[in-house]
């Protein structure tokens, strides 16, 4: 049994591979991991304190008690802004680009995040997650442009899953690594080195209640998967993107939230949900498309735009593209 490698040590060893690195990127990543530990602590006792209360309740110290997604958003901002390295932030919780403090305006990075995705599941104790992506600042332009870059320009993407254990999974483009939080020492320890998604799986994840709103190609695809000649697929749908994604990343399979007659562009958000997950899956040997093109090639128009997301093992994603090509 090798000695445990902490996330901090891993980040430092990664940094040493870049001779001109000055540590700004490493600091940002460390701070996101710090916020994750704080969020994990609150998520894991959510049932015990009134943090699920409405946003206007106040706790005994008199400060406003917050819902977990609002709380998580604040933890991410409080972790990132003081570094002075992040010139722009976009969050699922905030309508426009987040203003950063003056000293951050020179920051070389822009960070996008969904601080707590799947928050509708919190009250029923289902796994939820934080999703993030890091861009280099687009030089000589206003910071907002840095947030609207195509996903292929990401320099880092990751997620935290608050499940039976808390895991931090991320990539900088050189493979995907997973770290499990050991609460007794407060450290994320390397538990899943160099994660690769199987080339095909036996799991498909989609909310089938939307079946009659799907285009014919989607219906035909799901019908084929359900009676695949070579293997029996099973349907797994937690209804929490990070949890469904994480299971399929480790076991193989496909997650789909396609467009339908009600949601013309699907439900998930491009900037801080689809792009980071697509960056991760491609670095794990998988694929992510919107039904017509690679997610990472899409040029975003606005911060909260939605996109259809089909993501996972190469076989199931390529097959989906064939069915949409053939049946529309
Ligand atoms: P539906 C959670 O609300 C979320 O944004 C994703 O985490 C999840 O994959 C999806 O919505 C579930 O959507 O329509 O099945 O409730």
């Amino acid at each position: 049994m090798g000695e445990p490698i902490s996330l901090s040590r891993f980040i430092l060893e990664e940094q040493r591979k870049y001779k001109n690195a000055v540590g700004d990127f490493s600091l940002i990543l460390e701070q996101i991991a710090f916020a994750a530990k704080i969020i994990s602590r609150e998520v894991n006792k959510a049932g015990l304190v009134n943090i699920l209360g409405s946003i206007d309740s106040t706790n005994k110290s008199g400060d406003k008690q917050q819902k977990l997604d609002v709380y998580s958003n604040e933890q991410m901002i409080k972790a990132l802004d003081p570094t002075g390295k992040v010139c722009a932030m976009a969050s699922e919780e905030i309508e426009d680009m987040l203003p950063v403090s003056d000293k951050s305006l020179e920051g070389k990075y822009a960070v996008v995040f969904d601080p707590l995705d799947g928050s509708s599941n919190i009250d029923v104790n289902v796994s939820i997650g934080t999703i993030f992506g890091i861009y280099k600042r687009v030089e000589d332009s206003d910071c907002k442009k840095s947030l609207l870059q195509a996903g292929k320009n990401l320099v880092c993407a990751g997620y935290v899953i608050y499940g039976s254990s808390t895991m931090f999974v991320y990539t900088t483009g050189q493979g995907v690594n997973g770290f499990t939080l050991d609460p007794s020492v407060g450290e994320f320890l390397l538990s899943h080195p160099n994660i690769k998604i199987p080339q095909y799986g036996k799991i498909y994840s989609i909310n089938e209640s939307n079946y009659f709103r799907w285009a014919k190609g989607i219906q035909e695809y799901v019908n084929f998967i359900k009676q695949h000649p070579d293997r029996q697929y099973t349907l797994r749908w937690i209804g929490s993107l990070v949890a469904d994604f994480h299971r399929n990343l480790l076991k193989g399979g496909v997650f789909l939230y396609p467009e339908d007659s009600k949601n013309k562009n699907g439900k998930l958000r491009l900037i801080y949900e689809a792009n980071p997950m697509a960056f991760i899956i491609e670095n794990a040997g998988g694929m992510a498309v919107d039904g017509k093109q690679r997610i990472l090639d899409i040029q975003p128009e606005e911060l909260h735009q939605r996109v259809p997301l089909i993501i996972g093992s190469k076989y199931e994603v390529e097959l989906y593209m064939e069915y949409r090509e053939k049946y529309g």
Side-chain angles (χ1 to χ4, degrees), residues 114 117-121 207 210 237 239-242 244 255 257 267-268 273:
D114 184 353
D117 179 72
S119 42
S120 56
N121 294 306
N207 185 336
N210 297 325
W237 186 255
S240 182
L241 169 61
V242 174
D244 282 314
F255 171 101
Y257 212 113
K267 176 181 181 182
L268 301 178
E273 289 175 342

Side-chain angles (χ1 to χ4, degrees), residues 308-325:
L309 178 62
I310 292 83
I311 186 168
S313 298
K314 256 196 174 60
Y315 168 76
E316 285 86 358
V317 175
E318 285 175 339
L319 186 70
Y320 179 86
M321 295 286 274
E322 289 166 23
Y323 267 75
R324 294 309 304 273
E325 182 72 30

